[in-house]
Structure formats: structure tokens, C-alpha cells
Amino acid sequence: MDQVTVTLPDGSTRHVPTGAPVLQVAEDISPRLAKAALAATVDDQVVDLTHPLDADASVRIITKDSDVALELYRHSTAHLLAAAVTALFPEAQCGIGPPTDDGFFYDFIVDRPFVPEDLEAIEAKMKELASQNLAYERKMLSKEEAKQYFADRGEPLKVQLIEEKGGPVVSCYTIEDAFIDFCTGPHVPSTGTLKAFKVLNNSAAYWKGDAKNQPMQRIYGTAFFNNKELKEHLHRLEEAKKRDHRKLGKDLRLFTFHQWAPGAAFWLAHGTTLWNILADYMRSMLFPAGYVELRTPLVYNKQLWETSGHWEHYAENMLLLESEGETYSLKPMNCPGHMLVFASETRSYRDLPLRFHDQSVLHRDEASGVLAGLTRARQFCQDDAHCFVTQGQIGDEVEQLLRLVQGVYADFKLDFSVELSTRPETFLGNAETWDQAEAQLKQALDAAGQAYRIAEGEGNFYGPKIDFHVVDAIGRNWQCATIQLDYQLPERFQLKYIGADNAEHRPVVIHRAIFGSFERFIALLIEHFAGAFPMWLAPVQALLVPIADRHVEYADAIAVRMRDAGLRVEVDARQEKMGYKIREAQLRKIPYMLVIGDREAANEAVAVRHRADGDLGARSVDDFIATAREDVAYRR
């Protein structure tokens, strides 16, 4: 054929010479589109603009407005980073450099850790290479030729990757004479396309993320299509530093960590108060909804995990124990234990739905390098629950769960988005059951008035699921609540109930959590509110500040009245200046400071000062208590 037919997204067709690059399609449509083009999809495969069109195909030109554009852009910037590093540090060995949700990173083996001055020099070199508008070019090499090439360059990690991932012919990308990498691509046309990027920081890493492998240095960066978006992102990063739950958790005396208990928080008095507020709040939501609370064992024989399938697929993430010649594990999740509870009695269809709630401690053997305060811990608790239902009850139960989640997040003033993940390529059970389950989930989402997007093929192998992504005050997403259907565990544990037909039937299990883990949800709340919790959540809701020693007795008496009214108050009776006490209370982000002097003591009043609004004037003690209790009751 001298020509191939190209079908565009609007259904129109064009003809280009056989072997013509995709860019020619963009040029034929308009010079403006050709200038804006970053890459293209050919029959749903993302390719470079130099990709030859050898057969009839559907073609979509990718510009910065395309869904995949930012990932492509950041991947190319990661290569630019590697080019800069290898130019400045010729002995550096390159690992991998993928895009991420917020930017990109690249791993290197170097003689010493990078210092801030190195990062500044690397970013300057990246800008220099970008200004030269160097082309990204794809080269196809035989596997043996590619291995030999990188071996000669002293890049054994690349040789290993080619051996593991490469086919008979492998794809490599060059930035003209500046850099070459084993990579499937695609990439933007040239370095000049990359306008707004920033080198952020560096950290220690390991080859393939395994602490047993070669230690490496990881450089993080980010990239956007314009400087305005980059500056906004950098502002969010600065704001995130101020809100870092690890710093605020220490400042607010909520929790601490110690090297002798890695990945496990020590909850201090105020943190424990916050924890209990959340735990009791969740119980107050669940008990009226028909849940019963369980306390299940912490340690199980490995036979449990063999039955559940976790021993085969999850054992490396478990903390193991040996006792009397038997192997045990600290539980990483509650679901297998709940299966045993269900099986401990004869169940009838009249018992279903049966809803088990469990807040007990869980452990997972997270690598030390990924531990991150409360967001990635070895010891944690979940607001965990498992609902045992019949096949026909799935829709109604999920709708009830959706309304529960909506109510909880509304109380915390948290916005969220929802996605429904459907049947993956590899799944348990039969397609008909999956189709029915997915239909019930969609029906439940619609009935609850919940907007959602569908994540095709992203369900668990044992069932479809609904995930909730909470958006915090500075626009970051946190994956929290999840609702998952499970047909596997009831089968593995041979669970059954007696139906209305007096025959045995298999229940369906709905795994669900709303907070997710308490630790991670508390981290979210700390960062969302920047530590300034609303009145109903604040561990200390009011601080009584007597001006002089003669006012302490009155302050103590007021504190008793407030505590009797259900408020959490403290008295600061230290012999310090008033200004110092007030400033410290504001740093602790206590909602109210109640100053007490001669006038207040004489009139059974308090001088009210709000952490944000300042001086609110004098009020009677009874009036303040009534208002405070109302704020708490309505979760203002």
C-alpha cells in the first residue's frame, strides 16, 4: 500500500503515506495542533510522534489536555533529570525513573549522598539541557546488543533490567548525545517541551525497594505544563510541611515514636483522648445501624492464614512468632477471624444481614524504609467491619453503607470522590455472579445519589469494590473508606446459613471500613485542620487561665462544672505571664481560652478568647457552657 487510512476521534478519515510518522497526521490537521502535540495514541497504544504508520489505524493526538499527558510529561522530565545527573556525576549508575502522582523520581548509585548544593546544580543542568531543545529519540536494539552496550557503559542495573524485562528486541531512548536509557517510552518530542519543573529533595533507597539490595540515592522532582501550576503545587508542598502530622503530633502532644518500637505510635494523653473520641463516635454511628462489636484474638496459628489464602499471598507482610514448635502470626487484618465467629454458630437467613465491627490492633511487617509516621505504620487499628448478607441483600446493604459513609464524612466536613472497581482479568467465581454484583453496586450508588466513576478491571480478584478518596484542605487525596464484596472467604471457610427453603446457602461478605485505619485518619485530620480541630474533636476544648494565684481556686471550681457538663478543660495555674500562657495555648490550638481575674470571679463569668477570632468579651459561665455544648452536639 502506498497510503494508509487514519481514523480520527470524530470519525473522519485521512490518508497519509505508508510509514509516515504520526506527527504528519497532526500537521495535516493544523500547524497549531502539530505544535501542541506531545505524543499520540494509535489503536489505543500511546506512541511517540515519530511512530511510523504502517497500517490503517485509529489515531488520537495527545496534547497537554489529554488524560495521559502529564504522566508522559513527567516521565520525560525524569529522563532529563537522569541526563543532568550523569553529566555532573559521570560515575553515577542509573536505576529506574518513573512518573508518580505528584511528579517523578530517579534512583542512582553514587559514591556519596547528594547534598542541597548538588540538587541545585542538577536543576540548573536540567534547565540548560531543556534550553538546548534536544530530541528524544527511540532506538531499537537486539537484547544482546543492548545488554552489551550498557555493560560497556558500566551500567549493570540496566543489564539486569534488560535481562528480566526485555524481549528479543528492546527499546532505548536517547536525549541526543546527553543520555540513553532502557525504556519503553513514549516521550515528548524534545527537552524544549519541558518548561516547568523543580528538583525537590533526595532520600535513601534500595534497588527494587529491597533493603537486601544495593543502596541507592533517590532524587524527587515535579513537573507541570506551566509555571503557574508549578508555583501552586510548590505552595501546596510548603503548606503540607506546616501541616505535617508528625510535627504537629509532637507539638500538640498527641503521640510520639521510639526506635525500640518502630512503626508503632505511643499515644499520649491528648492523642488517646482524640482516639477515644473517634472510636466512640464510630460506635455511635454503627450501633443504631445494627452492628455488634467483637474483640478477636491478636495471634493466630498459620493454619488460619493457610485456609484464608493469606499464607500463600501475604506471608511476607506478616509478623511471625514461634511457640512450642508451631508458627503463629500477629493478625494483619480481622476478616479471617470474623469468618470463624460466623462459623461458630448455626446461622439462619433471618440472622442476615449480620454485621460485625472490630477495632482491635493489627500488625503488618512494613519495611523500615517506608514507615511514615501514622500514615504507614506496623501497628494500627481499623474501624473494621464485615457484613454477612445473602446475594439478594447486596444492593440494600451497600446503599445503607453508602449513606453511612456520606454521613460520617459530612460530620468531619470532608469532601470526597468515589470509584467503582469492576471485574479484573483474573477473578474467582463466575462472570454471571460478578455481573449481578456490579449491577447491585451501581444501583446502590444511584439510589444513594452518589456520583462515581468506573475503574474498569480494577476490582479485587475476589469481588468488585467501591473506594472513597477524601480531599483535604489543600487539595490532596487520601484513600479512606472502602466497600468490597468477597465471594472467596465464605467459600474457603465453608460458611453457610439455612435459607427459607431449609437448604444450606453460602453468604456473601462485604468488607468495609470508613476511617480506614485510625492512625491514618488521625493523620488526615491533623493535616486537614492544620491541628486546629473543631470544638467537638479537640482533646482540650477550653483552657482556664487564672490571672493570679488568688484566682486559681475559682478556676478549679469552674473546671469541675465544665467537666460535669461533658467538656474537656484544663487549668493553667503556672506562675507565668498572661501573654505567655495565651500564646502557648494558641500554639496548642486550643479552641477557647477563658481568662479569669477579679471581675470574672466576682460575677461568675469568664473572659472568652477564641484561638482565631481573638477576644470575644466576658460571658457568664452558664452561657459559655451552653454554647460550647451546642457546638459539640451539632459538631460545628
Side-chain angles (χ1 to χ4, degrees):
M1 288 191 302
D2 294 333
Q3 289 187 320
V4 296
T5 301
V6 170
T7 303
L8 301 175
D10 63 1
S12 63
T13 59
R14 289 177 180 267
H15 301 286
V16 296
T18 301
V22 176
L23 179 60
Q24 184 170 329
V25 176
E27 291 171 339
D28 288 351
I29 295 172
S30 77
R32 183 177 179 181
L33 178 61
K35 184 177 180 180
L38 299 174
T41 57
V42 175
D43 290 337
D44 297 326
Q45 179 184 355
V46 183
V47 300
D48 301 302
L49 293 175
T50 57
H51 178 82
L53 293 166
D54 296 323
D56 295 347
S58 296
V59 173
R60 180 188 296 270
I61 304 300
I62 294 173
T63 66
K64 67 179 184 179
D65 298 322
S66 304
D67 291 342
V68 298
L70 189 56
E71 180 180 348
L72 170 80
Y73 190 86
R74 287 172 171 171
H75 189 190
S76 298
T77 313
H79 275 233
L80 182 65
L81 167 66
V85 169
T86 52
L88 296 172
F89 303 89
E91 301 304 316
Q93 290 186 40
C94 296
I96 59 171
T100 65
D101 290 342
D102 294 320
F104 57 88
F105 68 81
Y106 211 113
D107 291 343
F108 303 93
I109 295 178
V110 285
D111 294 336
R112 59 168 176 80
F114 293 112
V115 297
E117 292 77 13
D118 295 331
L119 302 186
E120 292 175 6
I122 291 166
E123 184 176 310
K125 187 65 176 179
M126 290 172 68
K127 291 178 179 178
E128 177 189 330
L129 295 173
S131 68
Q132 295 172 14
N133 199 28
L134 305 174
Y136 285 84
E137 295 179 322
R138 189 183 196 195
K139 291 186 176 181
M140 303 304 296
L141 304 174
S142 71
K143 186 170 190 172
E144 293 306 315
E145 183 181 4
K147 287 168 57 180
Q148 187 62 52
Y149 179 83
F150 283 103
D152 292 344
R153 287 171 55 90
E155 297 268 16
L157 301 184
K158 294 297 179 184
V159 175
Q160 183 179 341
L161 288 176
I162 293 168
E163 184 64 47
E164 293 173 352
K165 298 183 177 182
V169 178
V170 300
S171 167
C172 296
Y173 274 84
T174 66
I175 303 179
E176 291 194 14
D177 296 329
F179 181 64
I180 184 169
D181 202 357
F182 165 59
C183 177
T184 58
H187 288 286
V188 298
S190 68
T191 60
T193 309
L194 308 173
K195 304 293 186 184
F197 51 80
K198 180 71 178 175
V199 174
L200 298 174
N201 51 51
N202 63 292
S203 70
Y206 295 98
W207 176 235
K208 296 183 177 179
D210 189 337
K212 298 176 183 178
N213 288 340
Q214 176 76 43
M216 307 186 78
Q217 279 282 299
R218 175 170 295 178
I219 297 180
Y220 292 93
T222 192
F224 290 87
F225 292 119
N226 57 62
N227 282 312
K228 180 176 180 292
E229 292 176 342
L230 176 61
K231 288 178 180 178
E232 289 173 350
H233 179 74
L234 295 177
H235 174 73
R236 287 193 297 272
L237 291 180
E238 286 302 312
E239 187 65 23
K241 287 181 183 179
K242 298 175 188 175
R243 294 168 179 261
D244 190 322
H245 74 278
R246 291 164 291 191
K247 177 182 182 300
L248 288 175
K250 181 179 179 180
D251 294 345
L252 300 178
R253 308 173 195 172
L254 299 177
F255 56 84
T256 187
F257 288 91
H258 194 280
Q259 61 183 0
W260 289 349
F266 290 77
W267 290 96
L268 307 179
H270 292 156
T272 301
T273 297
L274 176 59
W275 179 291
N276 288 333
I277 292 168
L278 293 175
D280 291 340
Y281 165 83
M282 186 52 68
R283 292 184 177 103
S284 75
M285 299 295 285
L286 296 184
F287 291 167
Y291 286 76
V292 295
E293 185 168 5
L294 306 180
R295 296 289 292 175
T296 49
L298 177 64
V299 179
Y300 290 92
N301 190 288
K302 79 171 185 177
Q303 292 179 60
L304 174 81
W305 310 111
E306 289 172 336
T307 301
S308 69
H310 289 95
W311 194 257
E312 180 181 358
H313 300 289
Y314 202 77
E316 69 275 10
N317 300 111
M318 296 184 188
L319 288 166
L320 304 181
L321 303 170
E322 294 291 332
S323 177
E324 297 181 343
E326 294 283 343
T327 301
Y328 296 83
S329 168
L330 296 173
K331 65 178 177 182
M333 66 275 297
N334 288 308
C335 30
H338 288 186
M339 303 303 117
L340 298 184
V341 174
F342 184 93
S344 67
E345 300 179 27
T346 300
R347 307 290 181 178
S348 163
Y349 73 98
R350 298 180 186 276
D351 300 323
L352 307 184
L354 183 58
R355 306 177 182 101
F356 292 155
H357 174 58
D358 197 330
Q359 294 185 7
S360 53
V361 177
L362 305 174
H363 290 85
R364 294 181 186 175
D365 190 16
E366 300 283 5
S368 58
V370 302
L371 297 177
L374 300 180
T375 59
R376 195 74 177 265
R378 286 178 177 167
Q379 177 179 295
F380 59 97
C381 295
Q382 293 180 323
D383 66 311
D384 204 6
H386 295 91
C387 306
F388 297 82
V389 299
T390 69
Q391 182 72 27
Q393 291 172 335
I394 292 173
D396 289 341
E397 187 68 12
V398 170
E399 182 183 344
Q400 180 177 323
L401 285 172
L402 290 169
R403 296 191 189 281
L404 179 62
V405 174
Q406 291 168 341
V408 169
Y409 289 163
D411 283 341
F412 290 91
K413 307 299 187 288
L414 293 171
D415 295 325
F416 60 91
S417 61
V418 176
E419 64 182 18
L420 168 62
S421 298
T422 59
R423 183 173 69 240
E425 288 187 12
T426 303
F427 61 92
L428 292 176
N430 59 73
E432 182 181 354
T433 300
W434 274 79
D435 291 342
Q436 183 180 354
E438 290 172 10
Q440 290 193 69
L441 293 185
K442 291 176 183 177
Q443 182 179 353
L445 286 161
D446 293 337
Q450 180 60 61
Y452 63 96
R453 77 173 190 89
I454 294 180
E456 294 286 355
E458 296 296 320
N460 292 320
F461 66 92
Y462 53 76
K465 63 175 181 171
I466 298 172
D467 288 327
F468 293 75
H469 299 270
V470 169
V471 182
D472 71 11
I474 57 174
R476 295 171 301 178
N477 280 288
W478 301 68
Q479 202 283 309
C480 288
T482 186
I483 299 172
Q484 302 178 6
L485 296 190
D486 185 356
Y487 297 92
Q488 179 195 22
L489 283 182
E491 188 69 35
R492 282 182 169 270
F493 283 89
Q494 296 294 294
L495 301 186
K496 59 192 177 214
Y497 67 91
I498 306 302
D501 58 0
N502 211 33
E504 292 182 347
H505 298 270
R506 192 80 71 209
V508 179
V509 170
I510 301 176
H511 303 251
R512 77 109 195 99
I514 300 177
F515 291 160
S517 80
F518 278 84
E519 282 79 359
R520 194 164 185 270
F521 194 72
I522 288 173
L524 184 164
L525 292 178
I526 292 171
E527 299 193 8
H528 177 66
F529 292 115
F533 298 113
M535 181 75 167
W536 73 279
L537 281 175
V540 179
Q541 295 168 322
L543 182 71
L544 290 155
V545 188
I547 293 175
D549 287 348
R550 64 181 179 274
H551 305 128
V552 171
E553 184 178 351
Y554 174 67
D556 287 338
I558 297 303
V560 170
R561 287 172 60 183
M562 290 185 172
R563 289 173 186 140
D564 287 344
L567 299 176
R568 298 182 292 275
V569 300
E570 291 181 354
V571 178
D572 188 348
R574 295 175 301 166
Q575 293 181 338
E576 298 282 358
K577 292 181 179 179
M578 283 297 300
Y580 176 84
K581 291 182 180 182
I582 296 297
R583 283 194 301 273
E584 189 177 73
Q586 287 177 322
L587 289 173
R588 291 174 61 192
K589 303 182 187 294
I590 297 172
Y592 289 102
M593 291 139 276
L594 308 178
V595 180
I596 295 172
D598 290 337
R599 185 182 306 170
E600 288 75 26
N603 296 308
E604 287 207 1
V606 289
V608 181
R609 184 177 185 85
H610 188 266
R611 67 183 169 203
D613 299 334
D615 188 3
L616 301 181
R619 298 173 64 180
S620 73
V621 174
D622 288 340
D623 184 31
F624 177 80
I625 289 175
T627 301
R629 291 186 66 182
E630 190 175 279
D631 287 348
V632 171
Y634 289 100
R635 302 192 177 103
R636 290 171 178 159

